[in-house]
Structures are given as C-alpha cells and as structure tokens.
Amino acid sequence: MNQEITRQIRVYGIVQGVGFRPTVSRHAMSWGVRGNVSNKGPYVEIYAQGSEEKVNGFISDIQNHPPRRAAILKINVENVEESETYTQFDIIESEKTKGEIFVSPDIAICEECKEEMFDPKNRRYLHPFINCTCCGPRLTILDALPYDRERTSMKEFPMCPECAGEYHDPETRRYDAQPVCCNDCGPEVYLIGRSERGRDAITFVRKTIADGGIVAIKGIGGFHLCCDASNETAVSRLRQLKRRPMKPFAVMAKDLEIVKKECEVSEEQGKILDGHQKPILLLDKKKNAQILCPSVAPGNPKVGVMLPYAPVQLLIFTYDDGIEMPEFLVMTSGNTSGAPICRDDHEAETELSGFCDCMLSHDRKIRIRADDSVMDFYEDKPYMIRRSRGYAPLPFMVSTPYRGQVLAIGGELKNSFCIGVDNRFYPSPYVGDLEDLRTVKALQETVGRLETLLEVEPEIVCCDMHPKYNSVMVAEELGLPVVKVQHHYAHILSCMAENDCAEQVIGVSFDGTGYGTDGTIWGGEILLADLHGFERTGSVMPFLQIGGDASSKEGWRIAVSLVYGMTGDREKAAEIIEKLALCTKQEANVQFTMADRKINAVMSTSAGRLFDGVSAILGICSKSTFEGEASMALEFAAEEYKETLPEKSKQRILESDRLLLNTESLIKEIMNRRLNGEDSGRLAYFFHQELAYQIIDACVQIRQQNGCNKVALSGGVFQNRLLLELTDHGLKDQGFEVLKHQLVPPNDGGIALGQAVYAMEYLEKNKGRL
C-alpha cells in the first residue's frame, strides 16, 4: 500500500460565494481523497489525505479547474506531519478568521439557470430569483463574512425541503449556494401600491412597457427606470419627467444577436457583454441602425448597451403571457439627478413615483447599492468609465509590501471610495455625486458596511485638498488623522497603482477642475510624480475662468473669456463674439466686466473647460445639460472628420517641425480659421491633434531634462478616445512607455485608489508618529 500524506491547502482570492467548497468536494471524490474544506473568510482551507499521486492530482484540479466564477490569487500548500485520520471528505461549517479578505461582486445569471428558468417542466420555471453556486447576488446581499446564508439578506427566507435537499447534496449545482430558493420559498415580486404580486405583477409591467408606459424595476443593486427603447414618445416622456434632455440613456437588449443588429460588436466586446459581469458597454451604432429611437442617445454615435443579468430582467423580455415585447429597453438608473440609486420601496415611492406608471419591487433586501458598471473599449481592450456591479469590490494588488489599513474617501463627483489593507486596495461600488446630501449619507453608510465586511479599522483617512468639498467634510468627521492629497496627483497615483508601478513617471493629468496647491483651479497638468510626491512641470496656458459653476455648464462663457483674454480689447472681442454667435452683446458686456473686476473669476488651467470653450467657438455645443456634453460633441465632430481622412493623415502628429504651441495660440488659430469659414469638424480634429502634439512635446522636453521615460495618462479628459489614441501612439513613437487605465476609471471615479496608495505610503513614512 502506498504511503499516505496529508496536505494543508489555503486558497486566496474570490473563493466565497462561487461554489468553491462544493467544487473542491467533487474533485476530492473523483480522486478518492479524504479530508475537509472550510471557508475561513480570508481564504478557503482544505485538508487533503491520500496517496501522494492522488493528493497532487487533487491539488492540480483545484488550480486548473476551479469554479468558473472564482478568481484564485494564490495557493499555499504545506505538509501536515502529524495528522488525524480522515474517513471521508467533508464540507465543514465556516469559521471566523482574520486576514486577507476578498468579497465577491454580484454575478449575472448563468446559462444553466437561464435554461431551467424557461423550462416548463422545471420546478423553478419563470422563477425571478433563480441562482446557483455559479451565479446570483453576492456583495449586494451580504451582511458579514464568511459568506453563508445566515449572514445575508436571504436569511429571511427559510429553504423549503426541496431547496434544502439541493443545498446539502454535493451532486447538485446548488450545493452550498447561499441565495438558493424557488417559487415556494424565495422572495416574491410585487407592484408597489397595487395588489398584483408574482405572475400578475410581471405581466402588468410587461403590458405597461408594451403599451408605451414607463416602469421602475428593482434588480440586484437597485431600481432602474425602464421603457421601450424603440418608442420615441415613451423615451421623450421619460426625458421630460427626469429632466434629462440630452444625456444618453443606457439600454438593455434581449440578447447578443439583437445587439449585433444595431451596433458594431467585436469578438472581445461580445465576450464581455455576454460574460458573467455584464457591464454597460459603449458601442458604436451601425450606420443603418433603425431599432433605437433618436431620443435614446441624441446626436451620439455611440450607445450604452447591456444584456439582462438578473432573472427578473429576462422575464420582462420573455414570459408566457402572449405579450409581444420590444427587443431593446431603456434601462437607466432609478434615481433623481445627483442622488444615489434607489434600493428600497420607500426610496422608490419618494423619488421615482413621479417618473413612472408602476413600480415592480421584491422583498429581498439590498444591503449595498450597486449601479451598473460602464465600460468603453480602447484598442479592443476594456477601458472602464464607471466601476461598480460585477467588478467592485475586487481588489488591486501592488508589489510594494505595505503594512497598514487606510480609507480613501474619493472625489466629489462620480464618487467611489477605497479601502487599503497592506498591499491590497478595494475600490467600492460607484456611489454618486456628493453635491447631494442623500449621496453623502449613502457614502457614509457604505463605508461603514464595507469596513465591517473587510474587518478593517483604518488608521488614517485620505481626501482631496479642496476646502469646501463634502468629501473632505466626511473625512474630517470620522475622527481619524486626515491626510490630504492634490487631485491631479491622485489621478496619476491611481494609474500607477493599477499598473503596479512604483517608479517615477511623467503624469499627464487632464480633467475638468481640481484644487491646486497654489489655490487656483488646475485641470490640464503635467506632473513629475512618484509615490512620495510630485513636481508641477507643466500645464495648459492659464486663463481666466468666469462664472463659477455656471461656466462648467455653459461653454460659451469660457469661449467669451478666452476671446477677451486673447484680444485684451472689449471692442475687438465683442466683434469676434458676435461673428461666432457666442452670446448677446449684453451677456458679453457682463462677462467683460466680471473679468475686469475679477468678480466670480479665477485663474484656471482646466483642460475640460478648454474643450467646452473650443466646442462653443466652433458652434458645436455652447451649453451643456450634463457634465462633458460639449466635450463629447467636440470629440464626435472630430471623429466624424477623421473618418474622411486618408490613413496617413490620421497618423500625422509629429511631422511638423515647429515649436510647441501653447494652448492660447492653438485656440487663437482655431478661432481665426473658424472666422474664415473653415469646417468645424476639421478644426475639432485639428484641436485634438495639436493638443496631443503639445503633450508629447512637453514629455520629450521633460525626458531630456531628467531622463524619465515612463508616462501615465489619467483624468476624465482621457475618456476621450481620440485624444487618448493620438497621445498614446505619439508617445510610443517617441520611445516612451505609456501607462493607461483599464479597469480603474480615468475620471474622478478612480482617484480613491490613488488617494489610498498615497495614504499607505504616508503611513509607512510616519510609523509611530500618528
């Protein structure tokens, strides 16, 4: 008989809530290995006993054939010299253990559950909460770790005998699946304020949508507002009710084939669109697209599309009630402007009842809100715009061996926070804009819940430098030591952390606005940065930004300010402003007076506002109804013009041998060429190209001075794919290594990661002094 060995195996990563223990049990049975497996919170612990050959085969299967939704980050295997003798392989109850914790994000419905849900012979036929070990809610229902039913909001639903049988049987797909339930023992859907429940409620909602109505639907992480995306009247009505005249609506398509009828979908995009995370993907509309009505994404060549990820969403498309449903539905976050997504009946009644004709809810409580993740693609790789459901709170790991616990509060807009534990950084789901006090409250609550889940007691908190931000107020009220980090430096640190870079970089941080160390408004910055600090080595040409908050929505104000700044003469400026039709004479005079007397006027280097100003000068967009509208319109005009260019012209960035143009000269040239009647699309492309040229030239000069050959591109302006491509390719042509974002947003939704790394670095330097 072969000598037997016993090994202790610890598996770290996303190993809870993905059917890891049942999978390990099945591998043990197939190899004839004895022992046990248990969740320890930070990891899964396995004891394996048998011949060396069998135990090694068993370990190999764990590594190479884990559950599909698991993410193994590391495996530790140790020999156990004096072990008890095991007679079988058991799954044992979870125990509480401190250490590394990885919380699983929520997972879209799997193909097997989808098949069962539409099988009339299956006992879960049309069950709105079907799930298994491979799919279903995770973070949004979690109270505490380890991930077991009694520590989730499913504890309110005792399993029926059939579900309990599957839950305890290693041979089933629902073995140890914490949210398991069926039509007899699970949560139930119902209409808020009406008597319809279950089937009747779903049929009522489907009929309302088919008849051109608007409905609110509670999903995994909150409510959506929904209507027929091919019905212009319904979508226009939703815009009117939500007071959202232009900002694109996300849509949900019945399936991938339907998406391909309307949008360009690459193989990689198709994989992510139909994968287990199911984010909203920004896709190019086909030239002959005819299904989506114009009001879904007015004047926009792209549309944000996702596929159903919650069973109830599939049932809205397909049900056995004979109602014919549209192929695309508008599926936009259920909230009032600036507020967090609604997650319970009270919030829905208070905030959404005026937007819709009925509200479909259910009685499974949402513990943590999770908006949909939004993703663009750059060079056929993901480029995250909003990181939330499906991705958060998966950690980013860096190689620097930090020790400590920190909290980073994040930005004022597009807020998400980040918790750092040693070398692991956990960005939260998207929270929202902190100008709204409801969002501030949601931030405070979610911080508390995630700290509990991750068993963290932060030693310090990091926030922005802006003295009037609500995020700063939240940080200062926590009673912890507060460390503040400059906004654009935090952007660069987030890009460095995502790329696990600890060396010096030339950081190109372009966005709307951030509070500068000199008290002025920054926004188009070139920083020489490392983990210890930064030097501001360059920026766009400072200009007077007049009008405070209004200027971020009214690009014509920026344009007037730029024109007046360049001419320095009221008469000349008024003449140009009239020719460009930027505003009335009276409005122009008010702006001139504000500039002369420095009333509500501040010096700024905001790249975002420059884009807004150029958009207005070119007559493309002079007023924005949502953040980034004018800049997006400028980008789309440039992209459209780019398509008319021969391939060689598209690549020309550094052919010109003239010296670096400053942004003031660039805008002056654009203004003069526009006054001479040149095409606005051509000038929009010229602006992108020349701005990229200036960035590259500045990086070349900095490299000549100090030898740094690594550039990090961050900030919301780099959501602009054209500027990103022109800058990225031009830098590479000059021999630079370029760091870019991929799964962390370049916008303010990503700065919490940079803040957390800064806080951890600060903690290392100040050990024993805090």
Side-chain angles (χ1 to χ4, degrees):
M1 183 177 168
N2 286 342
Q3 191 180 356
E4 294 204 327
I5 60 166
T6 305
R7 296 265 159 83
Q8 180 203 59
I9 304 137
R10 286 181 174 174
V11 187
Y12 296 82
I14 300 302
V15 291
Q16 299 211 18
V18 290
F20 210 94
R21 288 180 293 178
T23 300
V24 168
S25 177
R26 281 192 282 274
H27 288 327
M29 285 175 188
S30 71
W31 282 99
V33 165
R34 307 181 308 282
N36 60 51
V37 57
S38 62
N39 266 345
K40 294 289 189 178
Y43 52 86
V44 164
E45 185 173 76
I46 304 157
Y47 284 93
Q49 194 171 73
S51 70
E52 190 164 0
E53 184 190 353
K54 286 180 177 179
V55 170
N56 288 343
F58 167 66
I59 293 169
S60 173
D61 270 2
I62 292 169
Q63 284 178 306
N64 300 315
H65 305 289
R68 281 174 301 163
R69 309 296 167 88
I72 295 175
L73 295 175
K74 66 175 178 179
I75 295 182
N76 286 349
V77 180
E78 287 185 20
N79 215 26
V80 181
E81 295 300 338
E82 294 180 18
S83 167
E84 64 179 280
T85 303
Y86 297 101
T87 57
Q88 59 186 31
F89 196 89
D90 295 312
I91 290 182
I92 57 178
E93 279 306 302
S94 303
E95 296 172 26
K96 288 291 286 161
T97 310
K98 279 197 170 292
E100 298 174 346
I101 296 175
F102 305 93
V103 180
S104 172
D106 301 284
I107 304 169
I109 185 171
C110 67
E111 289 304 313
E112 289 89 343
C113 281
K114 209 185 287 186
E115 213 173 288
E116 286 182 352
M117 189 171 71
F118 290 119
D119 177 3
K121 298 188 188 78
N122 193 283
R123 72 185 193 88
R124 289 190 179 85
Y125 178 54
L126 303 182
H127 178 41
F129 302 94
I130 192 168
N131 65 82
C132 69
T133 50
C134 279
C135 70
R138 298 290 188 265
L139 175 69
T140 53
I141 62 169
L142 200 51
D143 283 318
L145 288 171
Y147 176 63
D148 278 327
R149 193 181 185 95
E150 68 268 19
R151 286 181 282 273
T152 74
S153 58
M154 283 300 293
K155 68 185 172 198
E156 295 173 16
F157 304 95
M159 288 181 279
C160 68
E162 288 90 342
C163 285
E166 290 175 286
Y167 179 84
H168 293 294
D169 182 357
E171 296 303 311
T172 74
R173 273 180 40 252
R174 292 187 173 84
Y175 182 38
D176 211 36
Q178 308 312 330
V180 68
C181 58
C182 69
N183 286 305
D184 295 330
C185 66
E188 189 179 22
V189 293
Y190 54 85
L191 293 178
I192 299 174
R194 293 183 60 96
S195 60
E196 290 88 348
R197 300 184 77 84
R199 287 184 58 87
D200 294 340
I202 290 173
T203 294
F204 188 93
V205 165
R206 282 165 50 83
K207 189 171 189 323
T208 303
I209 295 168
D211 290 345
I214 300 166
V215 302
I217 299 171
K218 183 179 175 182
I220 286 177
F223 279 83
H224 287 98
L225 286 166
C226 171
C227 67
D228 178 355
S230 59
N231 184 327
E232 178 65 31
T233 307
V235 179
S236 297
R237 180 177 162 234
L238 179 56
R239 284 206 172 280
Q240 203 174 355
L241 290 169
K242 223 185 168 201
R243 292 180 185 168
R244 185 169 156 175
M246 294 296 287
K247 191 176 182 182
F249 282 139
V251 298
M252 183 174 277
K254 184 180 178 182
D255 56 41
L256 187 56
E257 292 315 304
I258 298 296
V259 181
K260 288 177 178 175
K261 281 163 65 171
E262 195 75 353
C263 303
E264 304 290 349
V265 184
S266 72
E267 191 181 337
E268 280 306 305
Q269 286 170 327
K271 280 180 196 167
I272 286 186
L273 202 59
D274 208 14
H276 65 269
Q277 285 135 336
K278 290 194 167 53
I280 296 169
L281 278 198
L282 301 180
L283 299 174
D284 294 321
K285 293 179 200 166
K286 284 188 169 173
K287 296 280 186 277
N288 59 349
Q290 292 176 335
I291 305 172
L292 296 172
C293 70
S295 284
V296 164
N300 197 317
K302 296 181 185 181
V303 63
V305 185
M306 62 180 152
L307 293 179
Y309 54 84
V312 71
Q313 294 162 350
L314 283 161
L315 298 178
I316 298 299
F317 281 105
T318 308
Y319 212 57
D320 63 354
D321 54 14
I323 297 169
E324 196 172 321
M325 292 297 287
E327 295 173 314
F328 281 95
L329 300 173
V330 165
M331 200 64 79
T332 187
S333 299
N335 57 353
T336 50
S337 182
I341 190 170
C342 295
R343 67 169 175 189
D344 60 36
D345 292 5
H346 173 70
E347 289 178 354
E349 284 182 284
T350 306
E351 295 184 28
L352 304 182
S353 54
F355 297 158
C356 57
D357 303 304
C358 66
M359 295 183 279
L360 182 70
S361 188
H362 59 74
D363 49 5
R364 183 178 69 204
K365 290 187 176 76
I366 296 172
R367 299 299 195 208
I368 289 182
R369 293 174 175 87
D371 247 303
D372 298 308
S373 293
V374 181
M375 187 184 279
D376 203 345
F377 261 64
Y378 173 65
E379 297 189 334
D380 217 25
K381 287 182 187 158
Y383 195 67
M384 192 70 80
I385 304 298
R386 182 170 78 196
R387 187 177 187 271
S388 200
R389 177 191 52 76
Y391 295 89
L394 285 177
F396 290 87
M397 300 178 80
V398 298
S399 301
T400 310
Y402 293 122
R403 302 295 297 171
Q405 299 187 346
V406 302
L407 168 64
I409 284 295
E412 190 74 356
L413 300 178
K414 300 182 176 68
N415 178 270
S416 67
F417 61 92
C418 183
I419 291 174
V421 184
D422 300 339
N423 68 333
R424 301 178 308 288
F425 296 89
Y426 300 82
S428 76
Y430 174 81
V431 179
D433 293 348
L434 298 181
E435 291 165 332
D436 190 300
L437 288 177
R438 289 167 294 185
T439 316
V440 172
K441 192 179 167 192
L443 168 64
Q444 290 166 325
E445 184 197 345
T446 313
V447 165
R449 193 164 277 279
L450 215 52
E451 282 180 350
T452 301
L453 285 180
L454 296 172
E455 299 173 353
V456 168
E457 292 180 7
E459 297 158 76
I460 59 170
V461 58
C462 186
C463 64
D464 199 89
M465 287 175 57
H466 200 296
K468 293 183 180 174
Y469 275 177
N470 283 333
S471 57
V472 175
M473 176 199 75
V474 170
E476 289 174 340
E477 286 179 355
L478 289 169
L480 293 167
V482 177
V483 57
K484 297 182 179 182
V485 59
Q486 201 281 324
H487 184 90
H488 298 92
Y489 177 42
H491 271 302
I492 298 307
L493 288 171
S494 78
C495 186
M496 289 170 67
E498 182 176 7
N499 289 278
D500 193 14
C501 168
E503 304 154 42
Q504 188 181 64
V505 300
I506 301 167
V508 183
S509 188
F510 273 36
D511 67 358
T513 56
Y515 191 77
T517 52
D518 58 1
T520 65
I521 297 298
W522 291 9
E525 308 307 314
I526 301 178
L527 313 174
L528 197 57
D530 59 23
L531 295 174
H532 311 292
F534 72 92
E535 179 191 340
R536 190 189 191 198
T537 51
S539 75
V540 305
M541 180 75 73
F543 59 91
L544 200 61
Q545 187 173 323
I546 306 166
D549 289 345
S551 63
S552 66
K553 298 182 181 77
E554 299 181 338
W556 67 266
R557 292 178 187 270
I558 301 292
V560 167
S561 184
L562 290 167
V563 171
Y564 188 40
M566 284 185 284
T567 59
D569 182 290
R570 281 194 178 215
E571 219 169 285
K572 278 182 191 166
E575 194 184 319
I576 292 168
I577 287 160
E578 191 178 351
K579 281 182 185 170
L580 293 172
L582 289 173
C583 63
T584 65
K585 277 185 183 175
Q586 190 182 359
E587 285 170 328
N589 282 328
V590 170
Q591 295 295 298
F592 297 157
T593 302
M594 288 171 76
D596 291 343
R597 296 182 185 172
K598 302 290 185 287
I599 299 167
N600 202 9
V602 62
M603 288 310 289
S604 168
T605 56
S606 168
R609 296 298 80 81
L610 273 189
F611 273 77
D612 294 345
V614 171
S615 195
I617 287 168
L618 296 181
I620 291 168
C621 180
S622 61
K623 286 185 182 180
S624 297
T625 60
F626 65 91
E627 193 205 4
E629 181 179 349
S631 305
M632 277 168 59
L634 184 70
E635 178 192 355
F636 297 149
E639 289 274 13
E640 197 175 336
Y641 176 75
K642 177 188 168 192
E643 293 308 307
T644 67
L645 290 173
E647 205 57 42
K648 194 179 173 198
S649 304
K650 291 180 192 179
Q651 300 305 318
R652 186 200 73 77
I653 291 176
L654 286 169
E655 285 175 2
S656 170
D657 56 3
R658 56 195 161 83
L659 293 171
L660 170 71
L661 287 172
N662 63 46
T663 40
E664 187 178 277
S665 300
L666 170 57
I667 288 161
K668 197 170 195 174
E669 185 175 346
I670 285 167
M671 181 185 76
N672 290 332
R673 285 164 67 171
R674 179 62 184 157
L675 288 167
N676 289 330
E678 202 165 318
D679 175 68
S680 58
R682 178 190 172 102
L683 291 174
Y685 183 71
F686 172 75
F687 173 69
H688 283 78
Q689 194 175 49
E690 293 304 309
L691 187 59
Y693 169 79
Q694 289 185 28
I695 291 168
I696 295 155
D697 195 64
C699 290
V700 168
Q701 288 186 43
I702 293 165
R703 180 174 62 187
Q704 285 167 354
Q705 288 161 12
N706 78 353
C708 184
N709 197 50
K710 201 172 273 195
V711 179
L713 305 178
S714 192
V717 168
F718 282 107
Q719 280 176 212
N720 180 318
R721 274 196 318 195
L722 177 58
L723 183 70
L724 177 67
E725 180 189 325
L726 291 168
T727 309
D728 180 27
H729 290 187
L731 285 165
K732 284 175 179 166
D733 288 346
Q734 292 295 306
F736 284 100
E737 182 185 342
V738 184
L739 306 181
K740 300 178 292 291
H741 287 283
Q742 191 174 339
L743 291 176
V744 173
N747 59 47
D748 284 6
I751 65 167
L753 175 61
Q755 290 176 347
V757 169
Y758 183 80
M760 200 65 85
E761 190 70 27
Y762 181 90
L763 207 58
E764 286 284 306
K765 279 190 296 194
N766 294 279
K767 281 263 163 74
R769 281 188 253 167
L770 288 173

